[in-house]
Amino acid sequence: MRKMWYNGRRTNLYIGESPNGGTMLSLDRISFSVETEQGRKQILKDVSFTIDSPFTVITGPNGGGKSTLAKIISGIYTPDSGKIYFNGQDITDLGVTERARLGVSYAFQTPVRFKGITVSDILKIAAGKDLSVSEACECLSNVGLCARDYLDREINNSLSGGELKRIEIATVLARKTPLAVFDEPEAGIDLWSFGSLIKVFENMRDSVNGSIVIISHQERIMNIADKIVVISAGQVERQGTKDEILPYLFKHDSMCDALKGKV
Amino acid sequence: MIDQIEKNLLKEIADLHGIPEGAYNIRKNGQTESRSENANVTIVTKTDKPGIDIYVKPGTTKQSIHIPVIISKSGLEEVVYNDFHIGQDAEVVIIAGCGIHNSGACASKHDGIHTFYLEKNAKVTYVEKHYGDGEGTGEKIMNPQTILYLGENAYLEMNTTQIKGVDSTDRITKATLEAGASVVVSEKIMTHGKQYARTEFQVDLNGEGSSAHVVSRSVAKDQSHQIFDSLINGNSKCAGHTECDAIVMDDATVSAIPRINANNVEAALVHEAVIGKIAGEQLIKFMTLGLSEKEAEEQIVSGFLK
Ligand SMILES: Nc1ncnc2c1ncn2[C@@H]1O[C@H](COP(=O)(O)OP(=O)(O)OP(=O)(O)O)[C@@H](O)[C@H]1O
Ligand SMILES: [Mg+2]
């Protein structure tokens, strides 16, 4: 069962070789709604954008629909309408597992807790193979954790919020997929580690040669973005390079408040 | 002579690959197959009923005692009484277990009744594994009873596992604790097919400062049925905790019947029971790491019972 999903196919998935000229992921008029007690609630409406550069940051106010979008990309939610293309392939109808095996990773905003599953277990599952101690060590030291202290720890309530978040990031790093979506990776991570976290993303970009999508409210993360997409009230409010978007974000008062609230 | 099938049973229940170190008594198809004693551990066959008395000298340390039971003859039914007398300050590891290989059509049944008498300050780790296999249609039945008497400041840790192949089990564990004594029980059960497992715990916390910690983790698959029935009587200033944590799959059913009785105003008793299917978000997390739903389920179950 523990085989490498990419088995030498990984290079085929690299960004430069995708059929439609370097677009890793493209969302085409995605709409999504849920049934609530008060009736149908529209959460995403006609969201279209492409991810074609190493670093894309998705930002916007709380409740805007960012995490929902990440779940649509990873296949956890199925859109009511619209299409998703990964490397030119229509993946709209593929399930979570199939997308994961194609090379999509998603680090949850709220990491899942388990009973009896250890850090070393989940890293093995993520890597799709047995990891040597030094490989596991590398994964964990990237997120500032010492393998000796953590490999045998269970992923349950005994871990602090920040530790869980770091382990969540480490599992996605261990997968080394061409597309990785991180949902507010900085949340709960202390300021001291924040700089190293940014370095980790930069290293990841250089070694995997794929695309990293970071959902974030942090200006320091937006500063390393090639592209910023602002999602608000379920729609793309604006998108562009960081030079185009950052001035807009920080003069826009209501948005500013929302962002300040998170930082 | 121990043949290949029996060797496998021994491996499953006692991790034994050969003759164990330390004292042992191997019971096979209703009779003592081999036995080893030493200066600190004496084993005496009972004369009034099937079974043995095991005496551990006071002050004994670093001793392991293996008492596996294997049944490879279809249709054998037995009730065995094993009594453990653990002297003051002694510290021992006792590895018991029962493996049944049933290749016939008749039921094979082993009811082991284990009684432990722990003197003051004695410390016991008791490991028990139950395992069944064999291609026959005959049922493999085990109804173990464990009766624990813990003297002052005695400590007993009991780890029981029943993961495979036992069709029907009705387990009773009873403990009586004197002042400062403590008992820690951890039980792991997995049932599948049409299996039935009932476990009953009854703990009397009589002495001041005594404590009990009972944790049962189980997985019920297919059409199997499990019952967890626990009772803790807090009769003095004491601490008691029972926990039943069960995963239900397919058409299986699980019932938890917890009771905690505080008969003393200083008794601190807690019961927790969680029964439900595998959390959807756990499955999804593993699927985002590339596992199929089935693989994710297997990983979650095996971690849970680890
Ligand atoms: N299953 C659901 N049922 C009802 N409402 C939902 C559901 N999932 C999401 N929503 C709503 O959809 C909106 C978007 O939620 P989402 O989690 O995507 O926001 P977000 O942009 O990630 O916010 P944050 O910055 O706080 O993480 C919110 O108003 C949320 O309450
Ligand atoms: Mg969110």
Side-chain angles (χ1 to χ4, degrees):
Chain A
M1 188 193 72
R2 293 215 168 110
K3 60 181 185 225
M4 284 286 285
W5 309 121
Y6 307 112
N7 273 334
R9 290 187 292 121
R10 184 180 292 163
T11 48
N12 297 338
L13 297 166
Y14 282 1
I15 185 166
E17 294 169 19
S18 65
N20 50 347
T23 300
M24 175 67 70
L25 189 83
S26 114
L27 301 174
D28 183 19
R29 284 166 296 159
I30 297 289
S31 291
F32 179 71
S33 61
V34 290
E35 198 61 61
T36 67
E37 278 163 19
Q38 294 82 29
R40 232 167 219 284
K41 182 179 174 194
Q42 192 76 30
I43 296 180
L44 294 174
K45 198 162 164 257
D46 264 339
V47 172
S48 298
F49 63 88
T50 56
I51 289 164
D52 37 28
S53 44
F55 266 130
T56 304
V57 169
I58 300 178
T59 190
N62 293 145
K66 302 177 297 298
S67 295
T68 306
L69 199 57
K71 287 175 188 157
I72 286 196
I73 293 171
S74 54
I76 297 170
Y77 292 161
T78 312
D80 302 339
S81 60
K83 294 268 173 214
I84 310 164
Y85 300 91
F86 180 64
N87 277 311
Q89 179 189 352
D90 182 351
I91 59 163
T92 319
D93 296 325
L94 297 188
V96 179
T97 307
E98 288 163 293
R99 292 190 202 189
R101 291 181 186 179
L102 275 181
V104 178
S105 293
Y106 172 36
F108 290 18
Q109 180 169 5
T110 312
V112 178
R113 289 154 213 258
F114 294 86
K115 283 175 182 163
I117 304 280
T118 61
V119 172
S120 135
D121 292 335
I122 205 167
L123 288 178
K124 274 184 203 164
I125 293 171
K129 59 168 187 174
D130 279 343
L131 287 180
S132 68
V133 174
S134 70
E135 285 169 315
C137 224
E138 197 190 315
C139 281
L140 289 175
S141 67
N142 270 329
V143 294
L145 298 178
C146 169
R148 200 184 318 121
D149 299 340
Y150 286 93
L151 278 178
D152 294 330
R153 291 282 299 269
E154 280 188 32
I155 305 174
N156 60 17
N157 287 329
S158 74
L159 291 167
S160 77
E163 288 168 335
L164 276 169
K165 199 74 190 177
R166 288 168 189 235
I167 290 159
E168 180 76 5
I169 295 167
T171 58
V172 167
L173 296 178
R175 297 198 71 224
K176 299 193 168 63
T177 51
L179 178 65
V181 181
F182 294 89
D183 200 342
E184 300 198 19
E186 77 275 9
I189 303 266
D190 47 73
L191 275 180
W192 185 79
S193 315
F194 198 74
S196 3
L197 192 65
I198 289 181
K199 271 204 204 81
V200 166
F201 292 131
E202 286 170 339
N203 287 342
M204 187 180 173
R205 169 193 59 195
D206 297 342
S207 66
V208 178
N209 189 22
S211 291
I212 300 166
V213 178
I214 303 180
I215 297 173
S216 177
H217 300 276
Q218 276 281 348
E219 194 178 350
R220 273 175 79 188
I221 289 194
M222 290 183 221
N223 267 325
I224 59 167
D226 303 302
K227 177 176 187 171
I228 298 177
V229 180
V230 185
I231 303 276
S232 174
Q235 290 183 292
V236 176
E237 183 173 295
R238 200 166 267 247
Q239 55 175 310
T241 62
K242 77 169 175 246
D243 296 334
E244 289 160 0
I245 301 297
L246 282 181
Y248 162 81
L249 277 183
F250 292 100
K251 77 169 203 295
H252 209 73
D253 272 341
S254 62
M255 175 73 69
C256 234
D257 290 344
L259 289 173
K260 275 181 193 143
K262 292 290 284 198
V263 176
Chain B
M1 259 309 283
I2 300 271
D3 68 18
Q4 204 49 48
I5 284 174
E6 291 155 1
K7 265 193 191 141
N8 184 52
L9 291 176
L10 279 176
K11 181 170 84 58
E12 290 290 342
I13 60 169
D15 273 326
L16 279 184
H17 301 278
I19 298 294
E21 282 176 38
Y24 63 86
N25 186 86
I26 301 177
R27 182 182 177 88
K28 182 186 133 184
N29 293 327
Q31 263 149 20
T32 293
E33 163 78 22
S34 57
R35 173 180 297 176
S36 159
E37 300 171 283
N38 57 40
N40 292 311
V41 181
T42 323
I43 302 176
V44 182
T45 304
K46 280 190 188 297
T47 48
D48 54 337
K49 51 191 175 188
I52 49 179
D53 278 288
I54 296 172
Y55 297 91
V56 176
K57 264 202 190 144
T60 301
T61 55
K62 294 203 180 72
Q63 268 282 338
S64 70
I65 304 167
H66 281 84
I67 47 155
V69 171
I70 50 180
I71 297 178
S72 56
K73 205 156 88 187
S74 181
L76 187 111
E77 300 200 6
E78 63 175 2
V79 182
V80 178
Y81 298 83
N82 294 336
D83 294 347
F84 302 81
H85 310 266
I86 316 294
Q88 192 171 328
D89 296 314
E91 222 181 299
V92 286
V93 177
I94 297 169
I95 295 131
C98 177
I100 299 183
H101 175 90
N102 193 343
S103 52
C106 300
S108 296
K109 181 171 164 189
H110 173 83
D111 295 349
I113 297 162
H114 290 181
T115 308
F116 289 80
Y117 303 92
L118 272 66
E119 284 177 25
K120 201 170 161 185
N121 294 330
K123 221 175 145 186
V124 171
T125 303
Y126 176 51
V127 181
E128 190 193 71
K129 276 193 192 173
H130 284 170
Y131 171 82
D133 67 13
E135 58 288 351
T137 52
E139 290 209 324
K140 296 167 284 285
I141 304 168
M142 296 182 197
N143 298 322
Q145 286 187 33
T146 312
I147 318 290
L148 311 169
Y149 296 101
L150 273 68
E152 222 175 285
N153 290 324
Y155 172 87
L156 185 135
E157 185 183 320
M158 172 169 163
N159 300 310
T160 71
T161 316
Q162 179 176 314
I163 299 294
K164 244 187 112 181
V166 180
D167 296 301
S168 169
T169 196
D170 198 341
R171 165 192 295 279
I172 297 174
T173 305
K174 286 186 181 166
T176 307
L177 281 75
E178 288 180 25
S182 63
V183 63
V184 176
V185 181
S186 144
E187 170 185 83
K188 281 174 190 160
I189 299 181
M190 184 163 84
T191 52
H192 51 97
K194 295 194 183 329
Q195 292 173 353
Y196 167 80
R198 177 174 180 281
T199 74
E200 180 185 325
F201 292 99
Q202 189 188 320
V203 181
D204 285 299
L205 296 171
N206 292 344
E208 190 165 320
S210 57
S211 72
H213 187 71
V214 176
V215 178
S216 168
R217 274 197 180 178
S218 70
V219 175
K221 294 185 175 177
D222 307 324
Q223 290 94 10
S224 63
H225 180 49
Q226 296 181 5
I227 300 173
F228 172 87
D229 186 333
S230 75
L231 167 64
I232 294 192
N233 291 314
N235 300 328
S236 65
K237 179 175 167 28
C238 61
H241 176 231
T242 66
E243 190 181 319
C244 162
D245 199 343
I247 293 180
V248 194
M249 295 164 80
D250 313 310
D251 300 315
T253 51
V254 175
S255 322
I257 311 161
R259 272 171 301 162
I260 43 184
N261 295 334
N263 298 323
N264 182 300
V265 66
E266 299 279 5
L269 307 174
V270 179
H271 175 76
E272 296 171 71
V274 185
I275 303 178
K277 62 177 184 195
I278 294 176
E281 55 169 23
Q282 296 182 344
L283 287 174
I284 286 174
K285 179 69 227 178
F286 278 176
M287 287 161 72
T288 65
L289 300 179
L291 299 189
S292 67
E293 190 171 344
K294 188 107 191 51
E295 289 164 343
E297 225 173 69
E298 284 165 11
Q299 290 283 350
I300 292 165
V301 165
S302 79
F304 184 71
L305 292 176
K306 194 165 47 187

